[in-house]
Amino acid sequence: IHQSPHEIPDASLSLVSPPLKLAINALDASYEGSLSTDGKTITGTLTSAQATPLILYRATPKTAWKLYSSPHTIQMVSVEKGVSLEVLDWGGHGRPLVLLAGLGGPAHVFDEFAPKLTASYHVYGITRRGRGASSAPEPNATNYTATRLGKDVLAVIDALHLNKPVIAGHSMAGEELSYIGSHHPEKVAGLMDMEARYPYALY
């Protein structure tokens, strides 16, 4: 829930009485719990870095998250042979602004936020490889490095003919920001760090 209000797909799910077992590879996490007889709760344990008791409650119309609609177009942009990234365009006026999500998040995490910026910027969002609708090439020593992710962003900028955009990145996007800032600062007007901390802040 701290990542975004958008779904992260589970890798496997089984319900064999009594335990429900759920694996979420994208977060290196698993959950095991028991479904109540009325079907309104699941009581169990979430295990990631550590085991944490977690009770899941069935959403009601009162407690369910609000669903937002966002005015944007979507296109797939090729960044290398066999790899295309989902790019959202919310429109707007002014200098291009490119939004990069944090760990596990597609560009859609900005669906509610991005339209608020269109009065001053032409706003785009890029879903990095391996996430959302973007291509997910095999994980290896080169396909997901900070260098490769940074080059993906630059490839989108070139493909869309964006003139010196501002790039704003959250959390893990510090990898892309630090690569671009240290290797191709001439391509951008500025870099905005939104909690791009931990080792990838200055990769």
Side-chain angles (χ1 to χ4, degrees), residues 2-97:
H2 68 286
Q3 295 293 342
S4 81
H6 296 273
E7 67 277 6
I8 296 174
D10 63 302
S12 65
L13 173 67
S14 66
L15 179 57
V16 179
S17 183
L20 174 142
K21 296 181 180 180
L22 174 68
I24 311 164
N25 290 349
L27 300 178
D28 192 24
S30 63
Y31 179 80
E32 182 170 334
S34 297
L35 182 66
S36 64
T37 54
D38 62 7
K40 293 183 178 179
T41 63
I42 302 172
T43 302
T45 301
L46 175 69
T47 303
S48 185
Q50 60 187 18
T52 304
L54 180 64
I55 300 175
L56 303 176
Y57 296 88
R58 181 182 294 277
T60 66
K62 186 176 180 179
T63 63
W65 285 356
K66 182 178 178 182
L67 298 179
Y68 298 96
S69 59
S70 183
H72 57 61
T73 60
I74 300 175
Q75 62 180 308
M76 301 302 292
V77 176
S78 176
V79 294
E80 68 170 345
K81 185 177 181 181
V83 179
S84 295
L85 304 188
E86 177 189 43
V87 178
L88 309 186
D89 182 349
W90 286 275
H93 306 282
R95 183 182 295 280
L97 170 64

Side-chain angles (χ1 to χ4, degrees), residues 106-183:
H108 293 281
V109 301
F110 299 112
D111 276 345
E112 182 187 2
F113 176 63
K116 298 176 181 180
L117 304 173
T118 56
S120 301
Y121 298 94
H122 189 139
V123 186
Y124 300 86
I126 302 173
T127 298
R128 70 175 53 83
R129 60 175 59 202
R131 303 298 181 192
S134 293
S135 299
E138 175 188 3
N140 59 28
T142 60
N143 275 340
Y144 292 91
T145 64
T147 297
R148 181 62 261 174
L149 297 178
K151 287 182 176 180
D152 284 353
V153 174
L154 293 175
V156 171
I157 290 171
D158 288 343
L160 299 182
H161 308 291
L162 304 184
N163 182 29
K164 287 188 174 290
V166 172
I167 303 178
H170 173 237
S171 187
M172 181 187 164
E175 291 195 350
E176 289 102 321
L177 295 179
S178 58
Y179 170 78
I180 293 168
S182 59
H183 291 83

